[in-house]
Amino acid sequence: MGMDNQAFIYRMFSKFYNENIDRIETPKSIENREFGFTIFKENVMIRHKGFMRAEDLKEFIRKTVPSNVYYSTAYYIMPEAKMDEKGWLGSDLFFDIDADHMPTECNKIHDTWTCEKCGLTSNGVTPKKCPRCGSESFDEKTWPCEKCLEAAKVETIKLIDMLTGDLGFSISEIKCSFSGHRGYHIQVESEEILKLDSTARKEIVDYVTGTGIDAIFHGLELINYGEARILVGPNLDDFGWRGRAARGTYEFLLKATAEDLKRLGLKSRVINEILANKNEILESWKTSGPWNMVRGLGLNGWRKIIQRGISLQSAKIDTVVTVDIHRLIRLPGTLHGKTGLLKVSFPASEIEAFDPLKEAVAFKGGEAKIYVEEAPKFRLGDEDFGPFKKQTVSLPLSAAIFLLCKDAGEVIDSNV
Ligand SMILES: [Zn+2]
Ligand SMILES: [Zn+2]
């Protein structure tokens, strides 16, 4: 009786696009964008496609039913030409924030990788090279869990804050979207950034990631005070990275354990001083700051602590993506082939309250019976599912398609 997974997912994607084709968001200047698709059967990327009108794009998606739909952040004179003959006109400023790049506590539980060459398998973040055979190709199983998505959201909020507060973009020109899997996308469509080359974009990357920020260029210094030499440093409400460094330092000290401080290379006497006077240190920020309060802690010790604070304040983006001015990105309003969830865009101002596991649910109504090999507990909409292990379950269509797209089971039957 069993149906083929891929045929079932294809049929559901096709039904979705037939009923929801207008959820697809047409990018600005569609005629200058390159499009790319993966299709179910071959699982290869078809790219260098162009469309003159939104209707043509929608018609193509409805007929082809791709497993993934992408478009270029770049604008070209001839999007269908070979890469070096397209005629680059500019590119949106784009950021990818993905839980894959964040070592959350829970990914050790729900994420696994298997080396395709030697078969070594383990939990957590996938390494760049297999520790046993050195191969770089892996079969990964990662899950869009609530905690990971929350971590990605925190990074996205930090980024939006820097783009508006420090770099001067208005919140209305920042487009935010949930990727449909494990992260968020931030896109700025603005004349000002259109023509920036990779090097200029790298400068922006360095800024938002706090790369090369050193406290001694941001207010940390020894000054003469009468006969004495005293240490001064950045304040919590200072502008730009100066304030961020101070706030990050405060945040770090608020939670720091002896172990955290030891990792910075501080001496145990200094560590004890910090921990014994924690409340006074935190309080001191209301006045002149903590810089002269800890016996034995001088400019270099503070510099290390502030460095930790800077890394807490930096936005954990995938740096390669922002620098790439020919990047293809997922089109909002289309389905993610590995989850069956939608890439959904929303105003950046609404990010705090945005619930990706609710807003991205594409399939409403219907049920399917599936056999699940293994899946951690997950939530879609208001319902929790799993964990499952080697069992047959009847699930709402959205949860069933999610597991099938994740390659975690086999479809048995459905009423759709
Ligand atoms: Zn290996
Ligand atoms: Zn997680």
Side-chain angles (χ1 to χ4, degrees), residues 369-388:
K369 190 198 259 185
I370 64 171
Y371 167 79
V372 189
E373 183 61 34
E374 191 172 4
K377 188 178 171 190
F378 65 96
R379 172 174 73 85
L380 282 183
D382 294 319
E383 256 186 282
D384 287 316
F385 304 97
F388 300 118

Side-chain angles (χ1 to χ4, degrees), residues 104 106-107 110 143 145 147-148 182:
T104 51
C106 47
N107 73 26
H110 57 68
W143 293 84
C145 101
K147 279 185 191 144
C148 287
R182 302 232 301 155

